[in-house]
Amino acid sequence: ASCLDKLGDQTAMITAILQSRLARTSFDQNRFQNISEKLHMEYKAEMVTPLVTNAGHVCITDTNLYFRPFNGHPKPVVQITLQDVRHIYKRRHGLMPLGLEVFCTEDDLCSDIYLKFYEPQGGDDLYFYIATYLEHHVAGHTAESYMLQWQRGLLSNYQYLLHLNNLADRSCNDLSQYPVFPWIIHDYSSSELDLSNPGNFRDLSKPVGALNKERLERLLTRYQEMPEPKFMYGSHYSSPGYYMLCLQNGRFDNADRMFNSIAETWKNSLDGATDFKELIPEFYGDDVSFLVNSLKLDLGKRQGGQMVDDVELPPWASSPEDFLQKSKDALESNYVSEHLHEWIDLIFGYKQKGSGAVGAHNVFHPLTYEGGVDLNSIQDPDEKVAMLTQILEFGQTPKQLFVTPHPRRITPKFKSLSQTSSYNASMADSPVSPGEECFEDLTEESKTLAWNNITKLQLHEHYKIHKEAVTGITVSRNGSSVFTTSQDSTLKMFSKESKMLQRSISFSNMASSSCLLLPGDATVITSSWDNNVYFYSIAFGRWQDTLMGHDDAVGKICWHDNRLYSASWDSTVKVWSGVPAEMPGTKRHHFDLLAELEHDVSVETISLNPASTLLVSGTKEGTVNIWDLKTATLMHQIPCHSGIVCDTAFSPDSRHVLSTGADGCLNVIDVQTGMLISSMTSDEPQRCLVWDGNSILSGRQSGELLVWNLLGAKISERTQGHTCAVTCIWMNEQCSSRGRQIT
């Protein structure tokens, strides 16, 4: 084949020879570990390693995965026990969905085998067989679920970036798609590295090509004069040429182009006309071998006469180990934790392509993007080979994981500590942290105290006091009285001490939809399908006031600081100001309408955040809306359910909203960005819920109470509490006793 003139002809002949040999041979079943193993499927494939791909046969049995390479390298047969597999990932190779990578450890940096199939069907069949076989395989590990764990501090910045690289098809076995990590440190010349100084960090909101203003202006001038398709950068931030010793006919690269110095590499990336590289995970790992010429290879002399040997470190690093440790400290620093989401937007997010990329000066050659070219449509073999070579060697942009702005990390903030000006400025504009309030993450101790009994639910008492479905429940501050509303139109008061029904009131002949107690436990408010809200005096046992404020049924009410919030099927949420009369016979208070929050369809449920600066509403058509109550404006509108939104709640820190719907989904939404960051499904509707930001207690249509581990994306406990749907839940703050009503 090498005697042929054209590269396309050479490749075609080699491919024909290879496919012919693959077709004439099959996997030798004498290589099975056990004679009782049953062969389930066999495919022609290649094993991808950093510098070469080995063709051969892959097969899977009921206990093992095997690959036998033609050339016997790295060994005659590669064998993986299925029970040992921890993660499997579908991969794209050469921008085509042909790859599959298998991990037998929890370390997502180095896999056990990377297979490239000749047809997508082979990888799909193998993936689904292993995924079905493995009980511990969790398909729910999405970018959004990892994001939630990272936001709450359960994943380090390093771990989160590794997960994102994995989900975006980056692999250490594929040099054309090597994991990409950011330059973090800006200072490589000082003798001491001060990680408390923001000036020592790279601006993570800009791609490497935009960090140097003068260079950026030159690139923009060229970009504006360029015909379509336009691109700003003639090389990529991640390409094989950055990682390989050589692409020059089997010899080491020119000594001056090799990786000689950390400071020089940074300077070239900052100033060079064609150098826009980011880093690789090794810069934040523990293995120093990529910085040390341990084999004492003769790598040549530079123009200045110096021999190329160990990589020259910055003055602030006393050794390769010290350099990596300080790099790791920088990656996990507060500054990076607060700004890493900006870099993720560029590499994996909404600024990766389209108008977001243009605005961020983040536009690369079209061939680097997924979908940039259809290789199967190219008929000319020379053109096809040249195109594939360019794709594999020029660099590939990761698969896009996010299409909306990535939320920032939740970092503990205390008033006694001084913060950087950039953090204070951003938080001051955020309705998530009103006034001087600052977030302190839930400690393990507080979580244990609050929810330590949540997985030990037992039925303590059971009473049937309504004729139809219970729609609302609230309990007095001392826990002695339980108030409930029902579709049977009544408000009832039940004494926990005497275990007797004490009051039963009906304000109209239509269903009551919810109830709440005002501070002081002297007045209970109920909403009704007759369009009204009623105030009832507990002390005097009589109707006290009526608010006629809607044109259709009132479905849910909330109260905070002398303000009433009412949600109605007339497509509005209204905010009222007023204090009900304290004494019977006194003049009834006039309620002032402060705001009207307009919706497109009927509003089914609402909730307030703890500070009552935000309101979340759920609609009949599955939309969740987040409102800023200071300005009465809509912050986000998220269509995330396929049916009615049954219940919503803010997390204690106001960073997330949880919603449940008739479609059986539990969705977590980031308040800052409006991004849907986690979704868990069940086979029937969850009608109501309470949560502490991590664990969720929900009530099902079937009467079960479910405890969800949000960060693990799984159900951790099931309790058959009722025989019909659980429609509302109340839980006291100490979680030592629970009141709930059923239909």
Side-chain angles (χ1 to χ4, degrees):
S2 63
C3 296
L4 299 176
D5 294 331
K6 293 184 177 180
L7 185 60
D9 294 338
Q10 293 180 15
T11 304
M13 177 174 280
I14 293 171
T15 301
I17 294 170
L18 178 62
Q19 292 300 320
S20 173
R21 184 169 297 182
L22 284 168
R24 294 197 310 269
T25 59
S26 61
F27 189 90
D28 181 3
Q29 297 189 19
N30 291 322
R31 297 282 187 172
F32 287 171
Q33 290 286 307
N34 192 307
I35 59 173
S36 63
E37 287 184 59
K38 294 181 180 179
L39 176 67
H40 284 281
M41 60 185 72
E42 179 178 342
Y43 288 100
K44 297 176 288 184
E46 295 178 6
M47 186 172 73
V48 180
T49 59
L51 293 175
V52 70
T53 61
N54 295 319
H57 289 273
V58 60
C59 73
I60 194 165
T61 70
D62 45 1
T63 55
N64 291 292
L65 170 70
Y66 296 95
F67 178 78
R68 186 185 182 192
F70 274 152
N71 59 6
H73 181 80
K75 49 188 176 181
V77 173
V78 177
Q79 178 251 329
I80 293 172
T81 304
L82 294 181
Q83 285 286 6
D84 293 339
V85 176
R86 290 293 172 265
H87 301 288
I88 50 175
Y89 295 96
K90 288 185 179 182
R91 295 290 187 223
R92 56 175 185 160
H93 189 275
L95 297 182
M96 298 179 69
L98 300 172
L100 186 72
E101 194 163 19
V102 180
F103 293 79
C104 291
T105 67
E106 295 300 328
D107 178 9
D108 274 349
L109 183 58
C110 297
S111 68
D112 290 77
I113 193 169
Y114 185 130
L115 296 169
K116 174 202 167 188
F117 295 84
Y118 296 106
E119 298 292 339
Q121 186 66 40
D124 290 345
D125 290 347
L126 217 65
Y127 176 88
F128 287 116
Y129 180 85
I130 298 175
T132 305
Y133 179 90
L134 298 175
E135 293 181 1
H136 51 67
H137 176 70
V138 180
H141 279 317
T142 62
E144 289 77 17
S145 65
Y146 284 131
M147 180 208 298
L148 186 63
Q149 295 182 50
W150 171 75
Q151 270 198 296
R152 294 196 159 274
L154 297 185
L155 290 177
S156 66
N157 293 337
Y158 176 82
Q159 291 170 321
Y160 184 44
L161 289 177
L162 268 189
H163 286 311
L164 293 185
N165 272 284
N166 249 315
L167 292 171
D169 285 337
R170 314 301 285 190
S171 168
C172 291
N173 280 316
D174 183 358
L175 289 186
S176 68
Q177 298 191 94
Y178 208 81
V180 55
F181 270 59
W183 283 101
I184 293 295
I185 298 169
H186 187 276
D187 178 11
Y188 292 99
S189 59
S190 300
S191 58
E192 297 291 333
L193 179 63
D194 181 7
L195 294 179
S196 65
N197 179 7
N200 287 335
F201 291 89
R202 166 260 184 103
D203 185 348
L204 289 166
S205 68
K206 298 177 181 178
V208 167
L211 292 175
N212 183 324
K213 186 177 179 181
E214 291 76 18
R215 179 177 66 176
L216 178 62
E217 289 175 353
R218 294 194 300 270
L219 292 169
L220 283 173
T221 300
R222 188 189 70 174
Y223 174 76
Q224 289 159 3
E225 297 172 350
M226 186 182 295
E228 295 291 346
K230 295 184 176 184
F231 56 91
M232 287 191 60
Y233 308 114
S235 65
H236 204 259
Y237 53 77
S238 173
S239 68
Y242 297 151
Y243 316 127
M244 295 178 71
L245 283 174
C246 176
L247 290 174
Q248 314 293 329
N249 298 320
R251 299 182 180 87
F252 289 129
D253 200 357
N254 182 285
D256 288 289
R257 286 200 297 264
M258 295 188 73
F259 179 35
N260 294 294
S261 160
I262 302 290
E264 281 188 20
T265 303
W266 167 246
K267 186 177 185 302
N268 287 338
S269 296
L270 205 59
D271 302 334
T274 60
D275 190 348
F276 312 103
K277 72 170 84 52
E278 291 280 8
L279 295 184
I280 55 177
E282 282 81 353
F283 277 79
Y284 304 101
D286 298 312
D287 184 1
V288 300
S289 61
F290 76 106
L291 298 171
V292 180
N293 183 13
S294 57
L295 297 179
K296 299 303 177 185
L297 299 172
D298 182 1
L299 301 174
K301 285 185 179 180
R302 304 181 65 184
Q303 287 185 359
Q306 313 100 309
M307 289 294 297
V308 176
D309 197 23
D310 295 347
V311 173
E312 184 180 331
L313 303 174
W316 45 258
S318 59
S319 66
E321 291 79 7
D322 185 46
F323 171 76
L324 291 186
Q325 184 58 54
K326 287 176 178 173
S327 296
K328 286 189 285 187
D329 292 343
L331 181 62
E332 305 301 335
S333 66
N334 278 342
Y335 178 88
V336 174
S337 292
E338 292 165 8
H339 295 279
L340 187 59
H341 64 285
E342 298 171 333
W343 185 83
I344 293 172
D345 283 336
L346 296 169
I347 307 300
F348 304 105
Y350 81 108
K351 293 182 179 179
Q352 184 200 87
K353 58 178 72 171
S355 59
V358 174
H361 304 134
N362 194 38
V363 182
F364 293 86
H365 193 281
L367 281 181
T368 67
Y369 296 96
E370 187 174 27
V373 64
D374 181 8
L375 287 174
N376 293 325
S377 66
I378 301 175
Q379 300 300 319
D380 186 297
D382 292 318
E383 182 184 352
K384 190 170 186 176
V385 170
M387 193 73 73
L388 181 59
T389 302
Q390 188 172 353
I391 289 170
L392 294 177
E393 295 187 359
F394 183 82
Q396 296 177 49
T397 299
K399 181 186 294 183
Q400 189 174 22
L401 301 178
F402 308 106
V403 294
T404 56
H406 190 289
R408 67 182 299 149
R409 193 173 196 183
I410 301 172
T411 51
K413 296 293 166 188
F414 302 94
K415 295 175 186 176
S416 59
L417 299 178
S418 61
Q419 307 300 331
T420 63
S421 58
S422 62
Y423 181 82
N424 283 335
S426 64
M427 293 302 284
D429 298 331
S430 172
V432 174
S433 301
E436 294 185 353
E437 290 187 9
C438 52
F439 171 70
E440 297 178 17
D441 205 356
L442 291 171
T443 63
E444 289 301 320
E445 182 181 7
S446 66
K447 281 189 281 188
T448 301
L449 290 173
W451 282 68
N452 60 344
N453 293 322
I454 195 65
T455 58
K456 304 173 185 176
L457 291 174
Q458 292 182 343
L459 180 61
H460 182 57
E461 293 171 334
H462 176 264
Y463 304 98
K464 182 174 175 62
I465 59 175
H466 286 282
K467 295 179 181 179
E468 295 185 38
V470 177
T471 56
I473 179 169
T474 186
V475 181
S476 60
R477 187 174 295 273
N478 61 12
S480 62
S481 299
V482 179
F483 297 85
T484 56
T485 53
S486 168
Q487 287 185 10
D488 64 12
S489 80
T490 61
L491 165 69
K492 298 199 175 187
M493 175 179 171
F494 184 85
S495 171
K496 282 186 62 183
E497 296 172 347
S498 65
K499 299 180 180 171
M500 293 179 62
L501 183 64
Q502 293 186 321
R503 310 252 178 103
S504 181
I505 312 100
S506 182
F507 299 105
S508 75
N509 60 358
M510 298 191 73
S512 298
S513 54
S514 67
C515 61
L516 59 84
L517 275 167
L518 294 189
D521 288 355
T523 303
V524 63
I525 313 177
T526 69
S527 57
S528 173
W529 286 7
D530 69 0
N531 311 354
N532 298 330
V533 178
Y534 296 95
F535 294 78
Y536 176 81
S537 172
I538 300 169
F540 295 95
R542 59 179 291 179
W543 162 79
Q544 187 177 25
D545 217 337
T546 302
L547 174 63
M548 296 180 285
H550 287 279
D551 299 323
D552 206 338
V554 180
K556 183 74 179 290
I557 50 175
C558 298
W559 179 276
H560 184 267
D561 196 20
N562 291 333
R563 290 190 176 183
L564 174 69
Y565 305 83
S566 57
S568 171
W569 296 358
D570 66 7
S571 305
T572 67
V573 173
K574 294 186 178 181
V575 184
W576 310 86
S577 174
V579 182
E582 292 296 329
M583 297 287 291
T586 60
K587 184 178 180 181
R588 292 180 186 138
H589 191 86
H590 175 70
F591 285 87
D592 295 320
L593 180 62
L594 299 180
E596 185 170 334
L597 311 179
E598 294 282 353
H599 295 69
D600 296 330
V601 294
S602 65
V603 184
E604 300 292 323
T605 184
I606 54 171
S607 300
L608 296 170
N609 73 326
S612 294
T613 55
L614 300 172
L615 179 143
V616 58
S617 59
T619 71
K620 178 183 179 181
E621 294 184 355
T623 300
V624 173
N625 305 277
I626 302 176
W627 300 82
D628 181 358
L629 291 176
K630 288 183 177 179
T631 59
T633 56
L634 180 64
M635 294 169 56
H636 304 292
Q637 188 174 50
I638 308 101
C640 56
H641 291 280
S642 59
I644 291 173
V645 180
C646 298
D647 204 358
T648 57
F650 281 92
S651 60
D653 56 32
S654 298
R655 303 282 177 153
H656 298 117
V657 162
L658 178 67
S659 67
T660 183
D663 57 2
C665 289
L666 282 170
N667 292 329
V668 181
I669 297 162
D670 182 81
V671 171
Q672 181 189 9
T673 63
M675 177 186 283
L676 178 64
I677 60 175
S678 181
S679 184
M680 299 177 291
T681 59
S682 62
D683 54 2
E684 61 180 74
Q686 309 294 311
R687 296 284 295 275
C688 52
L689 57 87
V690 288
W691 74 319
D692 68 343
N694 294 297
S695 297
I696 303 164
L697 175 64
S698 68
R700 301 183 85 188
Q701 186 74 27
S702 64
E704 272 190 318
L705 291 168
L706 300 184
V707 179
W708 300 76
N709 179 342
L710 176 61
L711 299 174
K714 62 183 180 181
I715 297 171
S716 55
E717 190 72 25
R718 294 173 179 266
T719 303
Q720 187 62 49
H722 307 281
T723 56
C724 298
V726 184
T727 54
C728 48
I729 297 177
W730 174 89
M731 179 184 289
N732 69 354
E733 293 179 358
Q734 288 75 37
C735 201
S736 58
S737 63
R738 297 164 185 80
R740 52 189 175 273
Q741 296 293 324
I742 65 164
T743 176

Short mmCIF file of all heavy atoms in Angstrom, two decimals, residues 88-115:
data_model
loop_
_atom_site.label_atom_id
_atom_site.label_comp_id
_atom_site.label_asym_id
_atom_site.label_seq_id
_atom_site.Cartn_x
_atom_site.Cartn_y
_atom_site.Cartn_z
N ILE A 88 -19.29 2.79 32.24
CA ILE A 88 -19.12 2.66 30.80
C ILE A 88 -19.62 3.94 30.14
O ILE A 88 -20.61 4.53 30.57
CB ILE A 88 -19.88 1.44 30.23
CG1 ILE A 88 -21.34 1.44 30.71
CG2 ILE A 88 -19.20 0.16 30.58
CD1 ILE A 88 -22.16 0.33 30.09
N TYR A 89 -18.90 4.40 29.13
CA TYR A 89 -19.24 5.64 28.44
C TYR A 89 -19.24 5.40 26.94
O TYR A 89 -18.32 4.79 26.40
CB TYR A 89 -18.23 6.75 28.76
CG TYR A 89 -18.21 7.20 30.19
CD1 TYR A 89 -17.28 6.68 31.09
CD2 TYR A 89 -19.10 8.17 30.66
CE1 TYR A 89 -17.24 7.10 32.40
CE2 TYR A 89 -19.07 8.60 31.97
CZ TYR A 89 -18.13 8.05 32.85
OH TYR A 89 -18.10 8.47 34.15
N LYS A 90 -20.27 5.88 26.28
CA LYS A 90 -20.24 5.92 24.82
C LYS A 90 -19.31 7.05 24.40
O LYS A 90 -19.27 8.10 25.03
CB LYS A 90 -21.64 6.17 24.26
CG LYS A 90 -22.58 4.99 24.39
CD LYS A 90 -23.91 5.27 23.69
CE LYS A 90 -24.85 4.09 23.80
NZ LYS A 90 -26.12 4.35 23.08
N ARG A 91 -18.57 6.85 23.32
CA ARG A 91 -17.60 7.83 22.86
C ARG A 91 -17.82 8.14 21.38
O ARG A 91 -18.32 7.31 20.63
CB ARG A 91 -16.17 7.32 23.04
CG ARG A 91 -15.76 7.10 24.49
CD ARG A 91 -15.61 8.41 25.21
NE ARG A 91 -15.07 8.25 26.54
CZ ARG A 91 -15.52 8.89 27.60
NH1 ARG A 91 -16.54 9.73 27.47
NH2 ARG A 91 -14.96 8.73 28.77
N ARG A 92 -17.42 9.33 20.97
CA ARG A 92 -17.34 9.64 19.54
C ARG A 92 -15.85 9.65 19.19
O ARG A 92 -15.03 10.15 19.95
CB ARG A 92 -17.99 10.98 19.22
CG ARG A 92 -17.42 12.13 20.02
CD ARG A 92 -17.97 13.46 19.63
NE ARG A 92 -17.26 14.51 20.38
CZ ARG A 92 -17.22 15.77 20.04
NH1 ARG A 92 -17.83 16.18 18.96
NH2 ARG A 92 -16.55 16.65 20.76
N HIS A 93 -15.52 9.08 18.05
CA HIS A 93 -14.12 9.03 17.61
C HIS A 93 -14.09 9.59 16.20
O HIS A 93 -14.80 9.13 15.32
CB HIS A 93 -13.61 7.58 17.64
CG HIS A 93 -12.14 7.46 17.41
ND1 HIS A 93 -11.58 7.42 16.15
CD2 HIS A 93 -11.10 7.39 18.28
CE1 HIS A 93 -10.28 7.32 16.26
NE2 HIS A 93 -9.95 7.30 17.54
N GLY A 94 -13.25 10.59 15.97
CA GLY A 94 -13.26 11.28 14.68
C GLY A 94 -14.60 11.94 14.42
O GLY A 94 -15.08 11.96 13.29
N LEU A 95 -15.21 12.47 15.48
CA LEU A 95 -16.51 13.15 15.43
C LEU A 95 -17.65 12.21 15.05
O LEU A 95 -18.72 12.66 14.66
CB LEU A 95 -16.48 14.35 14.47
CG LEU A 95 -15.52 15.49 14.84
CD1 LEU A 95 -15.64 16.62 13.83
CD2 LEU A 95 -15.80 16.01 16.24
N MET A 96 -17.43 10.88 15.16
CA MET A 96 -18.49 9.92 14.85
C MET A 96 -18.74 9.03 16.06
O MET A 96 -17.80 8.69 16.79
CB MET A 96 -18.10 9.07 13.64
CG MET A 96 -17.91 9.89 12.37
SD MET A 96 -17.42 8.87 10.96
CE MET A 96 -18.93 7.94 10.69
N PRO A 97 -20.01 8.63 16.30
CA PRO A 97 -20.36 7.87 17.52
C PRO A 97 -19.99 6.39 17.40
O PRO A 97 -20.85 5.52 17.27
CB PRO A 97 -21.88 8.06 17.61
CG PRO A 97 -22.33 8.20 16.18
CD PRO A 97 -21.20 8.93 15.48
N LEU A 98 -18.70 6.10 17.46
CA LEU A 98 -18.23 4.74 17.22
C LEU A 98 -17.51 4.14 18.42
O LEU A 98 -17.10 2.98 18.37
CB LEU A 98 -17.27 4.72 16.02
CG LEU A 98 -17.85 5.19 14.68
CD1 LEU A 98 -16.74 5.29 13.64
CD2 LEU A 98 -18.95 4.27 14.20
N GLY A 99 -17.32 4.89 19.51
CA GLY A 99 -16.47 4.45 20.60
C GLY A 99 -17.21 4.01 21.85
O GLY A 99 -18.37 4.35 22.07
N LEU A 100 -16.51 3.23 22.68
CA LEU A 100 -17.02 2.77 23.97
C LEU A 100 -15.83 2.63 24.91
O LEU A 100 -14.83 2.01 24.56
CB LEU A 100 -17.73 1.41 23.81
CG LEU A 100 -18.43 0.86 25.05
CD1 LEU A 100 -19.68 1.67 25.35
CD2 LEU A 100 -18.80 -0.60 24.84
N GLU A 101 -15.94 3.21 26.10
CA GLU A 101 -14.84 3.17 27.06
C GLU A 101 -15.32 2.54 28.35
O GLU A 101 -16.41 2.84 28.84
CB GLU A 101 -14.29 4.57 27.31
CG GLU A 101 -12.96 4.57 28.03
CD GLU A 101 -12.22 5.90 27.92
OE1 GLU A 101 -12.86 6.92 27.62
OE2 GLU A 101 -11.00 5.92 28.15
N VAL A 102 -14.51 1.65 28.91
CA VAL A 102 -14.89 0.87 30.09
C VAL A 102 -13.92 1.16 31.23
O VAL A 102 -12.70 1.12 31.05
CB VAL A 102 -14.87 -0.64 29.76
CG1 VAL A 102 -15.26 -1.45 30.99
CG2 VAL A 102 -15.81 -0.95 28.60
N PHE A 103 -14.48 1.45 32.41
CA PHE A 103 -13.68 1.72 33.61
C PHE A 103 -14.00 0.67 34.66
O PHE A 103 -15.17 0.39 34.94
CB PHE A 103 -14.02 3.10 34.18
CG PHE A 103 -13.61 4.26 33.32
CD1 PHE A 103 -14.37 4.64 32.23
CD2 PHE A 103 -12.47 4.99 33.61
CE1 PHE A 103 -14.01 5.72 31.45
CE2 PHE A 103 -12.09 6.07 32.83
CZ PHE A 103 -12.85 6.43 31.75
N CYS A 104 -12.96 0.13 35.28
CA CYS A 104 -13.14 -0.83 36.38
C CYS A 104 -12.77 -0.24 37.73
O CYS A 104 -12.72 -0.94 38.74
CB CYS A 104 -12.31 -2.09 36.13
SG CYS A 104 -12.95 -3.06 34.74
N THR A 105 -12.47 1.06 37.76
CA THR A 105 -12.19 1.75 39.02
C THR A 105 -13.04 3.01 39.07
O THR A 105 -13.68 3.39 38.09
CB THR A 105 -10.70 2.14 39.12
OG1 THR A 105 -10.40 3.14 38.13
CG2 THR A 105 -9.80 0.94 38.90
N GLU A 106 -13.04 3.65 40.23
CA GLU A 106 -13.77 4.91 40.37
C GLU A 106 -12.95 6.09 39.86
O GLU A 106 -13.41 7.22 39.85
CB GLU A 106 -14.13 5.15 41.85
CG GLU A 106 -15.11 4.13 42.41
CD GLU A 106 -16.45 4.11 41.67
OE1 GLU A 106 -16.87 5.18 41.18
OE2 GLU A 106 -17.05 3.04 41.57
N ASP A 107 -11.71 5.82 39.44
CA ASP A 107 -10.85 6.87 38.89
C ASP A 107 -11.26 7.12 37.44
O ASP A 107 -11.05 6.28 36.57
CB ASP A 107 -9.38 6.43 38.96
CG ASP A 107 -8.44 7.45 38.35
OD1 ASP A 107 -8.91 8.57 38.03
OD2 ASP A 107 -7.24 7.14 38.22
N ASP A 108 -11.84 8.29 37.20
CA ASP A 108 -12.34 8.59 35.86
C ASP A 108 -11.27 9.19 34.95
O ASP A 108 -11.58 9.82 33.95
CB ASP A 108 -13.53 9.56 35.95
CG ASP A 108 -14.84 8.81 36.16
OD1 ASP A 108 -14.82 7.59 36.02
OD2 ASP A 108 -15.85 9.45 36.47
N LEU A 109 -9.99 9.03 35.29
CA LEU A 109 -8.93 9.54 34.44
C LEU A 109 -8.40 8.46 33.50
O LEU A 109 -8.19 8.71 32.32
CB LEU A 109 -7.79 10.11 35.30
CG LEU A 109 -6.63 10.76 34.54
CD1 LEU A 109 -7.13 11.90 33.67
CD2 LEU A 109 -5.57 11.26 35.51
N CYS A 110 -8.19 7.27 34.01
CA CYS A 110 -7.61 6.20 33.20
C CYS A 110 -8.58 5.02 33.12
O CYS A 110 -8.97 4.47 34.14
CB CYS A 110 -6.28 5.73 33.80
SG CYS A 110 -5.03 7.02 33.84
N SER A 111 -8.92 4.63 31.89
CA SER A 111 -9.87 3.54 31.70
C SER A 111 -9.13 2.22 31.50
O SER A 111 -7.91 2.19 31.33
CB SER A 111 -10.76 3.82 30.50
OG SER A 111 -9.99 3.77 29.31
N ASP A 112 -9.90 1.13 31.46
CA ASP A 112 -9.31 -0.18 31.25
C ASP A 112 -9.25 -0.55 29.78
O ASP A 112 -8.36 -1.28 29.36
CB ASP A 112 -10.10 -1.23 32.04
CG ASP A 112 -9.89 -1.08 33.53
OD1 ASP A 112 -10.48 -0.18 34.14
OD2 ASP A 112 -9.11 -1.86 34.08
N ILE A 113 -10.20 -0.07 29.01
CA ILE A 113 -10.16 -0.32 27.56
C ILE A 113 -11.02 0.71 26.84
O ILE A 113 -12.06 1.13 27.35
CB ILE A 113 -10.64 -1.76 27.23
CG1 ILE A 113 -10.30 -2.12 25.78
CG2 ILE A 113 -12.12 -1.93 27.51
CD1 ILE A 113 -10.49 -3.59 25.45
N TYR A 114 -10.54 1.13 25.67
CA TYR A 114 -11.27 2.04 24.80
C TYR A 114 -11.42 1.33 23.45
O TYR A 114 -10.43 1.01 22.81
CB TYR A 114 -10.49 3.35 24.64
CG TYR A 114 -11.19 4.45 23.86
CD1 TYR A 114 -11.28 5.73 24.37
CD2 TYR A 114 -11.73 4.23 22.59
CE1 TYR A 114 -11.90 6.76 23.66
CE2 TYR A 114 -12.36 5.24 21.87
CZ TYR A 114 -12.43 6.50 22.41
OH TYR A 114 -13.04 7.51 21.69
N LEU A 115 -12.67 1.06 23.06
CA LEU A 115 -12.94 0.33 21.82
C LEU A 115 -13.57 1.24 20.79
O LEU A 115 -14.45 2.04 21.12
CB LEU A 115 -13.88 -0.85 22.10
CG LEU A 115 -13.34 -1.95 23.02
CD1 LEU A 115 -14.45 -2.91 23.40
CD2 LEU A 115 -12.18 -2.70 22.35
#
